[in-house]
Amino acid sequence: ASYVALSGGVGGAKLALGLCDVLDDPARLTIVANTGDDFEHLGLKVCPDLDTLTYTLAGLANPETGWGRAGESGAFMEALGALGGETWFFLGDKDLAIHVERTRRLRAGESLSAVTAALCARLGIQAHIVPMSDDPVPTVVETPEGPLAFQHYFVRERCRPKALGFRHEGADKARASSAFLDALATPDLGAVIICPSNPYISIDPILAVPGVRAALTACEAPVIAVSPIIGGQAVKGPTAKMMAERGIAPSAAAIAEHYDGLIDGLVLDEADSHGHDDDRAHGRSRLSPVPCSRLPRESA
Ligand code: FO1
Ligand code: CA
């Protein structure tokens, strides 16, 4: 069988790496990356989630941050700061290379899908990392102080402003990447896995691309989400904060509710199975807990 995973950055990349480990042939896995975090910075096209997936699967990721590269140096940033340039978004000396090369190829007319495939091949990655779309769909965060571009909210402001909502700019005109749609249309598709990424800022942008929801509900394969909430806390990052700001108590059941109508199952921690049973009692019985042992595994 083949598999499709929908992923954001650091949290999703860890599951993607695990999926590669359990598959005999990682080339059967297509990982669709959120590109709502992408932005142009210092004249360069930066795609954080694509790069986090790329570095993680290539074994090059920085183990402390989860993003950027291991063994990184900051001479460029230091020199830029001395010149009065913008340093709130850290671009390491090695990491800089991927932004420069991607920007060059995009300007030469290649699609983001083509550039990503070429760079992943160069780094020896067997799984297919594909952008959700070749069209820009930048996430804009609505805050009491006005709208903020995603990285300005996330990195520069450290998620401090209350997030009133998220807009996926350009989503109405965007087209899903052909590699994404082709992977969903594969006849032997075994499962679609929604990684334990932030539902609002990592998965919703993918679902906002026209045709994606329809393709997911139409496919025969089960769509299984892995909860990013364990015991009322986010595995990583500001997911619980964002849920609280929307008046939603962070729980695995709330994640099931968020993906209601889309998923066939939710992988959750034993710590959360009690809340989930409560949820089932309230009439959402088709969302049954899926034991982790039933995660996709190639039959021997
Ligand atoms: N996250 C930060 O918190 N601070 C940074 O300076 C930063 C730089 C950065 C550079 C390249 C890259 O691929 C990712 C980077 N990230 C940084 C992570 C990025 O902001 C992600 O969008 C978030 O982690 C959300 O997924
Ligand atoms: Ca379905």
Side-chain angles (χ1 to χ4, degrees):
S2 63
Y3 301 95
V4 172
L6 311 184
S7 178
V10 180
K14 288 187 175 150
L15 182 67
L17 182 63
L19 291 172
C20 288
D21 280 349
V22 297
L23 291 170
D24 286 337
D25 182 8
R28 295 227 181 119
L29 176 65
T30 298
I31 305 149
V32 180
N34 165 43
T35 55
D37 289 20
D38 297 8
F39 71 137
E40 192 170 300
H41 188 57
L42 308 178
L44 302 170
K45 170 83 164 185
V46 178
C47 304
D49 290 354
L50 275 174
D51 291 352
T52 296
L53 284 162
T54 300
Y55 292 149
T56 300
L57 267 52
L60 298 173
N62 181 329
E64 271 112 58
T65 55
W67 52 264
R69 292 183 60 151
E72 188 59 282
S73 51
F76 166 73
M77 276 284 122
E78 212 178 293
L80 183 64
L83 294 172
E86 271 185 63
T87 55
W88 59 269
F89 194 83
F90 182 84
L91 293 180
D93 296 337
K94 290 184 189 176
D95 181 40
L96 198 51
I98 206 165
H99 313 302
V100 170
E101 180 60 7
R102 174 168 44 227
T103 304
R104 181 191 71 76
R105 294 176 79 140
L106 289 172
R107 284 193 188 139
E110 285 184 56
S111 69
L112 183 59
S113 291
V115 176
T116 303
L119 297 175
C120 287
R122 288 289 303 203
L123 294 175
I125 298 170
Q126 288 176 273
H128 304 282
I129 300 173
V130 308
M132 66 192 199
S133 176
D134 286 329
D135 305 315
V137 186
T139 299
V140 174
V141 188
E142 299 290 359
T143 79
E145 300 148 42
L148 280 175
F150 180 77
Q151 296 296 345
H152 288 85
Y153 161 80
F154 196 93
V155 175
R156 201 189 64 198
E157 303 298 326
R158 298 166 199 265
C159 304
R160 177 193 46 81
K162 184 174 178 180
L164 303 171
F166 302 94
R167 267 192 294 123
H168 312 294
E169 230 170 63
D172 50 335
K173 290 171 296 231
R175 283 179 311 160
S177 65
S178 55
F180 181 8
L181 294 177
D182 288 352
L184 287 180
T186 307
D188 74 341
L189 184 65
V192 177
I193 299 115
I194 300 181
C195 289
S197 300
N198 185 305
Y200 307 114
I201 59 174
S202 298
I203 304 299
D204 283 356
I206 303 176
L207 302 176
V209 178
V212 169
R213 261 179 194 280
L216 288 173
T217 45
C219 79
E220 297 281 323
V223 178
I224 309 293
V226 179
S227 177
I229 300 283
I230 294 180
Q233 293 191 309
V235 178
K236 198 213 135 273
T239 307
K241 176 183 186 278
M242 289 176 188
M243 294 180 90
E245 285 170 354
R246 311 184 138 217
I248 300 169
S251 67
I255 297 295
E257 174 121 2
H258 185 82
Y259 293 130
D260 193 24
L262 186 74
I263 61 172
D264 300 297
L266 181 72
V267 177
L268 39 75
D269 192 87
E270 276 170 24
D272 297 302
S273 57
H274 170 69
H276 196 78
D277 286 341
D278 286 354
D279 193 54
R280 286 167 77 180
H282 287 88
R284 269 180 286 273
S285 58
R286 73 187 174 286
L287 293 174
S288 49
V290 177
C292 291
S293 60
R294 279 172 53 203
L295 268 177
R297 197 175 277 274
E298 291 286 284
S299 46

